[in-house]
Amino acid sequence: DAKTTQPNSMESNEEEPVHLPCNHSTISGTDYIHWYRQLPSQGPEYVIHGLTSNVNNRMASLAIAEDRKSSTLILHRATLRDAAVYYCILRSSNTGKLIFGQGTTLQVKP
Amino acid sequence: GAVVSQHPSWVICKSGTSVKIECRSLDFQATTMFWYRQFPKQSLMLMATSNEGSKATYEQGVEKDKFLINHASLTLSTLTVTSAHPEDSSFYICSARGSTEKLFFGSGTQLSVL
């Protein structure tokens, strides 16, 4: 299963945009890029996913590099409730599994 | 949105007893369910993958006789921790996938073995 690399932690100010980077240089052509976030003592929450094109939904935007070796999760206006651990994961179309890395702990300052 | 219900949310048991955790997809049919465990301040570790009606596939290092997984229907999977010991204390999380690419997670079960 291809791996992802994310910064351990990031800080943001409330109401400012946040760009969370993810490197996945060993991604294969059929791997989907998933983002989930987790609050303490809760199960992860789906944020967004994509394959090749950039994606937008009500929670965030996902920008995928042309070579697909990296991606960026964009929170357009961070709120205190966005403070969480964000996981960038590749889902193999062969195995179907989501293997979690260490994620990025996002702190949002008021 | 799709909901995955996991019960119980926490359980305390004596060493040597077995504990069953249920995971239900409430409004969709889950063809595949995954079971994870998570230790404090660590990431989720995939334990096994189960497809409805077939035997679960366990990740390397996960004892299949200790962590029994049953996926008897398209809406229910269970994880039974047999003969639990203190080192099995952890946060167990299930997830389910239906016909879309999204994966939905339960709220987790905190297991404490005394």
Side-chain angles (χ1 to χ4, degrees):
Chain A
D1 298 301
K3 293 187 177 180
T4 62
T5 304
Q6 298 176 254
N8 288 333
S9 62
M10 290 185 67
E11 287 184 357
S12 171
N13 294 318
E14 200 176 7
E15 298 191 4
E16 290 186 356
V18 181
H19 290 233
L20 297 167
C22 181
N23 287 318
H24 29 79
S25 59
T26 60
I27 191 171
S28 71
T30 55
D31 287 347
Y32 281 85
I33 302 163
H34 283 244
W35 283 82
Y36 292 80
R37 69 183 186 183
Q38 185 182 26
L39 295 171
S41 301
Q42 295 186 26
E45 175 189 25
Y46 169 83
V47 178
I48 201 166
H49 78 274
L51 185 60
T52 56
S53 303
N54 294 343
V55 184
N56 298 297
N57 66 21
R58 64 175 181 82
M59 288 182 72
S61 295
L62 177 59
I64 301 172
E66 202 169 324
D67 63 5
R68 298 208 331 125
K69 293 186 177 182
S70 66
S71 61
T72 302
L73 178 70
I74 303 166
L75 306 179
H76 297 286
R77 285 184 65 204
T79 68
L80 296 178
R81 289 177 297 177
D82 291 324
V85 179
Y86 286 78
Y87 295 100
C88 166
I89 308 159
L90 302 182
R91 190 188 81 79
S92 166
S93 60
N94 293 328
T95 66
K97 297 187 285 190
L98 260 70
I99 306 297
F100 282 73
Q102 291 307 305
T104 296
T105 299
L106 175 66
Q107 291 183 318
V108 180
K109 297 179 179 177
Chain B
V3 176
V4 173
S5 175
Q6 185 174 343
H7 291 283
S9 55
W10 60 269
V11 58
I12 302 172
C13 69
K14 292 181 179 179
S15 185
T17 60
S18 295
V19 174
K20 180 184 282 188
I21 302 169
E22 288 192 351
C23 181
R24 294 179 184 272
S25 56
L26 297 185
D27 52 359
F28 68 101
Q29 293 185 326
T31 52
T32 306
M33 286 188 171
F34 303 91
W35 286 94
Y36 295 84
R37 66 188 298 184
Q38 185 176 32
F39 292 107
K41 299 191 183 301
Q42 293 187 22
S43 184
L44 284 76
M45 183 192 81
L46 180 65
M47 299 175 67
T49 303
S50 75
N51 293 298
E52 184 265 339
S54 61
K55 289 184 178 180
T57 303
Y58 291 80
E59 294 298 302
Q60 191 172 10
V62 178
E63 300 175 58
K64 61 179 70 176
D65 293 331
K66 182 166 187 61
F67 300 100
L68 302 179
I69 292 172
N70 184 281
H71 191 169
S73 77
L74 284 171
T75 59
L76 174 65
S77 176
T78 60
L79 166 68
T80 301
V81 183
T82 62
S83 186
H85 290 285
E87 58 265 30
D88 299 323
S89 298
S90 186
F91 191 53
Y92 292 86
I93 307 168
C94 71
S95 64
R97 179 168 174 260
S99 58
T100 70
E101 181 61 25
K102 297 178 186 179
L103 201 64
F104 298 97
F105 288 82
S107 54
T109 298
Q110 182 63 53
L111 171 64
S112 297
V113 184
L114 304 178

